[in-house]
């Protein structure tokens, strides 16, 4: 049986970041990945934040396969054929140090894996880890699905993604519940770059994003998104799994519905579908973060439920958690102590970082939306109606119109209900 | 036993499409794989090595990214992989490719005499089935093509079953010999973890146009008499006839049987004896 210092289960953003930091600290490191190569099984909406990535591979934007730097973010609230939109644009985001880029995980992660290999990491593809190996109570390696498939390690980092089989087997995490996982479907639709730049009012090479609430998810807790790539548009929609089951819908139903919206249709017109992707997103939030460590083991990325869906941040939390775990593993191994106590440094550092601080900040959000399933049904409609009434010039005096709007609002949702919703939102989001 | 496997990295043709306007292959974004027939040749070489001892060397020609295919091929448990890669090799047809590969095999043969060479019966991107035989011819090795089973390998001979249009033949050749193989030859293995690790750490050797005394007139575009005049996608098949059997199944069945007779899809066996069933 071959022995390593660090074994990483899974070649996603978290696992590869962990591998890079462990190898850079001199650890003999291996990543075990089930796909043909790292990236083939990885899916995200498609926005990569610069800061966290820069911490893993400094100045990655000079070499990495990126699509477009994002200079504008819009939010739309859809109700039937109507929509309200707001946005922020700063062309400075189109130059260094950037804020975010659109990417394709399959290309980017392959590149990231090459950086890991340059740092000395061994990557074993097309291989599944079946379980951890124990000696007494201590974790001493992993068992893969291949012949002669045991590997020894001082520290195992579980970066297996949202499907947390190993973390569950190890007693660290609970199986996913349909209320705490979102399912997302996404299409990549090819369009000439000039068309993309015209339709999104972009200079050459710049990118934009739109998040769509309301009818995009048929009122379910979730969001639709449209991201510009070099010569394609990524469009997707995701929502909590539970109501899909209850309503017997598929994510594809939502996606087709979103694509048929008048505003969206025009953006995609004439495009050719190149790719269809689907994935689960861990949405359990702070309260469902699993045990993050035990003797010889740390849990990172999606497996650790590190996801801030409100700010559309996941891969950056994954990368930071991976990087910290890799560093902690190296420190512990060098000190000759991989006890649970030594591994707990990882959790402490996560708590000191924005990763767990942000999750803690939004800790009431899941419950808030779970208890108020009407929010994304009632308010997008209400706001669109109000906007229409306010902006329609039909000779009604404005004072009267404002009264009408307030009346309409209370017809859609009681005064007490609105106050409760505002209080709840304030507690959950601010 | 010293085995050499000739292996090609090809686009996964199940995902290649033809541009309807320009009639050229659209290769962009199409994943590359090991030519499936070659993989079965490699598998057989490894099995024979495991049984009889020896060494398996993989030889390929292609652009630098073909290293990926070679690394993947190493997971089967091969000992050495050589990539012939040079701009001067670019544009080679099967004649020039056979020349370049045979030069490499000759070089190996001089230091480590080859016993048996494996090649796929053809590559799935070109379907020419010429490169393997071309190599054998140049090396002066006997060639046994379309092998579906290696029946026996001795120190001096190899006996194989080969597929022909009318059945099977059992043929024998003196070593050293070259086999081109069909997929029926064997089932591919799921590599062991130690072999996966060896392959992950392995860096294939790269030989360029200067490594060997190549004759420039016989390689690349210059050495390739083949010219492709046009590539096109054959028209899709039109749908078959559909009979609605919901109303009167018995008469529809009779019509269908009659049609099958008319188009010679089924016929009465003239040797069958008539009689009551």
């Amino acid at each position: 049986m071959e022995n390593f210092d660090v074994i990483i289960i899974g070649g996603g953003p978290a696992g590869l970041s962990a591998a890079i930091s462990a190898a850079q600290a001199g650890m003999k490191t291996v990543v075990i990945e089930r796909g043909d190569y790292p990236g083939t099984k990885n899916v995200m909406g498609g926005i990569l934040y610069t800061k966290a990535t820069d911490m893993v591979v400094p100045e990655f934007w000079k070499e990495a396969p990126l699509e477009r730097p994002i200079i504008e973010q819009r939010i739309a609230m859809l109700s039937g054929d109507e929509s309200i939109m707001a946005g922020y644009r700063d062309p400075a985001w189109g130059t260094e140090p950037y804020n975010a880029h659109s990417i394709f995980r399959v290309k980017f992660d392959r590149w990231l894996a090459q950086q890991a290999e340059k740092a000395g990491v061994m990557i074993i593809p097309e291989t599944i880890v079946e379980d951890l190996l124990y000696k007494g109570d201590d974790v001493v390696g992993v068992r893969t699905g291949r012949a002669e498939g045991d590997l020894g390690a001082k520290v195992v980092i579980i970066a297996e993604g949202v499907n947390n089989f190993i973390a569950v087997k190890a007693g660290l995490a609970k199986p996913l519940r349909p209320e705490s996982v979102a399912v997302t479907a996404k299409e990549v639709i090819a369009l000439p770059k000039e068309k993309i730049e015209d339709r999104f009012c972009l200079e050459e090479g710049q990118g934009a994003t739109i998040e769509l609430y309301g009818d995009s998810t048929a009122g379910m807790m979730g969001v639709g998104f449209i991201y510009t790539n070099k010569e394609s548009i990524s469009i997707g929609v995701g929502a909590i799994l539970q109501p899909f089951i209850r309503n017997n819908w598929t994510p594809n139903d939502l996606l087709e519905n979103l694509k048929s919206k008048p505003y969206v249709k025009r953006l995609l017109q004439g495009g050719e579908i190149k790719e269809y992707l689907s994935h689960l997103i861990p949405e359990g939030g702070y309260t469902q973060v699993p045990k993050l460590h035990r003797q010889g083991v740390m849990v990172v990325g999606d497996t650790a439920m590190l996801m801030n869906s409100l700010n559309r941040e996941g891969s950056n939390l994954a990368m930071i958690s991976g990087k910290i775990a890799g560093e902690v593993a190296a420190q512990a191994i060098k000190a000759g102590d991989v006890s649970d106590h030594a591994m707990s440094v990882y959790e402490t550092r996560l708590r000191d970082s924005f990763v767990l601080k942000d999750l803690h900040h939004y800790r009431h959000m899941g419950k808030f939306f779970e208890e108020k399933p009407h929010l994304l049904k009632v308010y997008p409609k209400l706001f669109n109606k109000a906007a229409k009434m306010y902006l329609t010039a039909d000779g009604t005096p404005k004072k009267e119109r404002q009264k009408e709007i307030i009346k309409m609002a209370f017809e859609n949702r009681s005064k007490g209900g609105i106050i409760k919703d505002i209080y709840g939102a304030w507690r959950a989001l601010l | 036993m010293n085995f050499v496997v000739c292996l090609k990295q090809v686009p996964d043709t199940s995902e290649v499409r033809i541009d309807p306007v320009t009639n050229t292959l659209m290769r962009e974004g199409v994943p590359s794989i090991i030519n499936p027939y070659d993989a079965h040749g490699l598998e057989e070489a490894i099995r024979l090595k495991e049984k009889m001892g020896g060494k398996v060397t993989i030889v390929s020609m292609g652009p630098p990214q073909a290293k990926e295919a070679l690394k993947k091929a190493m997971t089967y448990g091969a000992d050495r992989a050589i990539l012939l890669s040079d701009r001067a090799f670019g544009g080679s047809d099967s004649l020039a490719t056979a020349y370049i590969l045979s030069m490499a095999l000759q070089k190996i043969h001089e230091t480590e005499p080859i016993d048996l060479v494996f090649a796929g019966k053809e590559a799935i991107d070109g379907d020419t089935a010429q490169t393997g035989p071309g190599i054998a011819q140049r090396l002066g090795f006997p060639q046994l093509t379309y092998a579906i089973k290696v029946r026996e390998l001795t120190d001096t001979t190899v006996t194989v079953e080969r597929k022909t249009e009318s059945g099977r033949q059992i043929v024998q050749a003196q070593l050293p010999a070259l086999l081109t193989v069909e997929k029926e030859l064997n089932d591919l293995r799921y590599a062991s973890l130690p072999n996966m690790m060896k392959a992950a750490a392995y860096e294939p050797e790269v030989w360029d146009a200067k490594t060997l005394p190549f004759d420039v007139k016989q390689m690349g575009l210059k050495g390739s008499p083949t010219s492709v005049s046009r590539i096109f996608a054959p028209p899709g098949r039109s749908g078959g006839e559909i009979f609605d059997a919901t109303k009167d199944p018995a008469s529809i069945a009779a019509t269908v049987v009659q049609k099958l007779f008319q188009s010679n899809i089924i016929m009465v066996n003239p040797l069958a004896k008539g009689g009551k069933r």
Side-chain angles (χ1 to χ4, degrees):
Chain A
M1 182 173 82
E2 177 116 6
N3 285 295
F4 288 84
D5 292 319
V6 182
I7 293 177
I8 292 151
I9 306 172
L16 292 171
S17 302
I20 289 171
S21 70
Q24 280 172 347
M27 297 295 105
K28 187 182 172 194
T29 307
V30 62
V31 173
I32 301 169
E33 161 61 32
R34 73 191 165 112
D36 285 357
Y37 53 84
T40 51
K41 300 283 181 186
N42 306 352
V43 177
M44 73 168 184
I47 299 300
L48 179 80
Y49 290 96
T50 312
K51 178 76 181 158
T53 318
D54 186 39
M55 287 168 74
V56 174
V57 184
E59 305 201 322
F60 67 95
W61 57 83
K62 292 188 170 155
E63 280 181 40
L66 306 169
E67 293 297 309
R68 290 172 182 265
I70 303 305
I71 63 131
E72 181 177 277
Q73 301 198 174
R74 291 184 220 165
I75 293 179
M77 217 176 264
L78 306 182
S79 174
D81 284 355
E82 302 166 71
S83 53
I84 293 182
M85 201 157 317
Y88 172 76
R89 168 182 286 237
D90 181 3
W93 273 351
T95 55
E96 281 182 38
Y98 304 106
N99 178 50
H101 286 84
S102 50
I103 63 156
F104 291 117
R105 276 248 82 94
V106 61
K107 285 186 189 164
F108 185 86
D109 289 347
R110 189 174 210 183
W111 177 84
L112 193 59
Q114 284 161 359
Q115 307 315 302
E117 284 183 311
K118 278 186 200 160
V121 174
M122 175 179 280
I123 292 176
I124 309 284
E126 295 177 273
T127 303
I128 285 171
V129 171
E130 292 181 340
D131 206 350
L132 302 179
L133 284 181
Y134 296 85
K135 189 174 174 188
D137 210 26
D138 287 355
V139 170
V140 294
V142 302
R143 169 155 296 162
T144 69
R146 289 188 179 272
E148 302 164 68
D150 290 357
L151 280 186
K154 295 174 183 133
V155 172
V156 176
I157 297 176
I158 303 179
E160 59 184 332
V162 59
N163 286 308
N164 54 2
F165 306 115
I166 301 297
V168 170
K169 262 191 187 172
L172 295 165
K174 295 205 177 86
L176 293 171
R177 295 187 306 132
E179 306 84 50
S180 54
V181 63
V183 58
T184 301
K186 164 181 160 180
E187 279 176 5
V188 178
I189 297 179
L191 275 171
K193 53 177 183 280
E194 299 77 21
K195 281 215 164 130
I196 294 171
E197 282 152 10
D198 281 353
R199 288 177 192 184
F200 289 82
C201 306
L202 299 165
E203 299 294 332
E204 200 182 334
Q206 294 177 338
T209 68
I210 309 173
E211 323 287 333
L212 308 110
Y213 292 91
D215 269 6
S216 54
T217 58
M220 295 193 288
M221 185 191 164
V223 63
F225 58 87
I226 296 175
Y227 303 148
T228 57
N229 305 309
K230 270 187 188 140
E231 292 187 302
S232 64
I233 288 174
S234 295
I235 176 166
V237 58
I240 297 293
L241 182 57
Q242 174 76 23
F244 279 110
I245 301 170
R246 207 172 42 225
N247 298 320
N248 201 13
W249 287 337
T250 71
N252 195 52
D253 297 336
L254 279 194
L255 185 54
E256 287 305 321
N257 172 54
L258 178 61
K259 281 164 66 185
S260 72
K261 293 281 170 194
Y263 170 71
V264 176
K265 207 158 118 188
R266 187 63 190 84
L267 290 175
L268 306 175
Q269 207 162 53
E272 189 199 347
I273 300 173
K274 285 282 183 189
E275 214 179 331
Y276 184 86
L277 307 93
S278 188
H279 212 266
L280 295 176
I281 303 173
E283 298 280 4
Y286 184 79
T287 53
Q288 287 181 45
V289 169
K291 261 195 96 199
L292 292 169
H293 53 84
R294 57 151 287 160
Q295 174 281 330
V297 177
M298 284 174 273
V299 182
V300 298
D302 273 5
T303 318
M305 282 266 175
L306 304 179
M307 167 68 58
N308 166 5
S309 48
L310 189 72
N311 297 79
R312 189 228 281 137
E313 293 182 30
S315 64
N316 54 334
L317 311 190
M319 285 189 287
I320 296 296
S321 70
K323 182 180 161 64
I324 295 174
E327 289 168 2
V328 170
Q331 272 168 13
I333 291 166
K334 282 177 187 165
D337 173 14
V338 296
S339 64
D340 185 34
H341 180 70
M343 298 292 106
S344 73
V345 176
Y346 163 62
E347 182 168 347
T348 310
R349 286 187 56 188
L350 267 192
R351 286 191 184 282
D352 289 343
S353 76
F354 74 97
V355 175
L356 279 180
K357 278 185 180 162
D358 283 357
L359 253 63
H360 183 259
H361 181 62
Y362 294 135
R363 65 193 177 282
H364 299 302
M365 200 175 71
K367 204 168 162 234
F368 169 64
F369 279 100
E370 219 176 295
E371 284 172 358
K372 297 180 187 298
H374 61 275
L375 284 172
L376 290 174
K377 282 198 190 87
V378 171
Y379 286 98
K381 204 168 134 194
L382 195 155
F383 290 149
N384 273 288
K385 245 186 189 170
K388 187 174 183 174
M389 288 167 79
Y390 187 71
L391 297 171
T392 306
D394 60 357
T396 313
K398 290 295 172 249
K399 197 170 174 188
E400 257 173 57
R401 183 41 55 88
Q402 285 167 5
K403 275 185 191 158
E404 280 173 28
I405 291 174
I406 291 166
K407 202 173 144 229
M408 178 278 294
F410 291 141
E411 276 165 14
N412 280 278
R413 181 100 178 111
S414 71
K415 220 179 253 182
I418 289 181
I419 290 167
K420 267 191 208 156
D421 292 344
I422 292 172
Y423 174 72
W426 176 72
R427 245 174 65 89
L429 308 177
L430 296 177
Chain B
M1 283 278 163
N2 191 20
F3 304 96
V4 172
V5 179
C6 299
L7 182 143
K8 184 180 185 183
Q9 187 183 41
V10 292
D12 191 343
T13 47
S14 59
E15 297 191 34
V16 171
R17 285 179 305 158
I18 292 175
D19 189 314
V21 183
T22 61
N23 276 331
T24 52
L25 293 180
M26 291 163 64
R27 293 197 180 198
E28 198 193 336
V30 176
S32 292
I33 56 170
I34 296 173
N35 179 42
Y37 299 107
D38 302 351
H40 289 274
L42 172 60
E43 173 67 40
E44 196 66 21
I46 300 289
R47 288 184 185 197
L48 291 169
K49 178 189 99 162
E50 283 167 355
K51 211 160 84 185
M52 312 178 66
K55 183 174 176 183
V56 175
T57 303
I58 303 162
V59 180
S60 183
M61 186 184 93
Q65 59 265 33
K67 267 190 194 175
E68 289 303 317
L70 286 180
K71 286 189 83 157
K72 165 104 190 172
M74 288 298 288
T75 65
Y76 284 70
D79 301 281
R80 183 185 182 193
I82 299 164
L83 175 65
L84 294 150
S85 191
D86 198 302
R87 285 195 170 272
F89 300 153
S92 293
D93 66 1
S94 50
L95 187 77
T97 304
Y99 166 69
I100 295 163
L101 287 171
S102 69
M103 287 289 283
L105 265 59
Q106 189 61 49
K107 170 79 183 165
I108 295 167
H109 197 47
E110 281 163 16
T111 48
E112 298 170 330
I114 297 171
D115 294 297
L116 198 54
V117 180
F118 286 91
K121 72 158 180 177
E122 64 193 22
I124 57 169
D125 56 349
D127 282 7
T128 67
Q130 292 167 345
T131 306
I135 295 167
Q137 188 64 27
R138 285 188 152 82
L139 292 173
F141 289 6
Q143 51 178 292
L144 305 178
T145 51
Y146 305 106
I148 52 172
K149 189 174 182 185
V150 175
R151 290 179 78 109
E152 195 186 20
L153 179 64
T154 69
D155 287 343
T156 51
T157 61
V158 60
T159 310
V160 307
E161 271 179 43
R162 66 188 294 264
K163 192 155 89 176
T164 70
E165 280 175 16
S166 56
R168 292 171 174 208
Q169 280 179 337
I170 296 170
V171 287
Q172 191 175 66
Q174 293 291 317
L175 298 184
L178 180 143
L179 311 184
T180 76
V181 306
E182 297 269 2
K183 285 185 191 171
E184 295 98 308
L185 188 65
N186 51 41
D187 293 323
L188 300 182
R189 69 187 54 208
Y190 185 58
S192 73
L193 191 66
N195 280 339
M196 291 296 291
M197 293 203 293
K198 252 184 244 161
Y202 185 80
E203 197 50 36
E205 292 169 45
V206 178
W207 291 6
D208 62 19
K210 291 188 203 82
T211 312
L212 299 169
F214 288 108
D215 172 8
V216 288
K217 288 200 289 286
Q218 291 192 60
M219 58 195 212
L221 281 172
K222 262 188 215 161
S224 301
T226 312
S227 73
V228 177
S229 57
R230 196 160 76 90
I231 296 173
F232 62 95
R237 280 197 274 181
S238 54
E241 211 173 328
I242 293 171
F243 300 92
D244 184 1
T246 47
K247 290 218 175 95
D248 185 5
S251 80
I252 291 293
T255 316
V256 170
V257 169
Q258 204 175 6
K259 290 228 174 208
L260 289 173
F261 273 118
Q262 276 165 7
S263 49
N264 284 329
I265 293 170
I266 58 173
M267 55 190 78
V268 178
N269 184 352
L271 301 176
K273 286 179 184 158
K276 282 177 193 166
R277 268 182 289 175

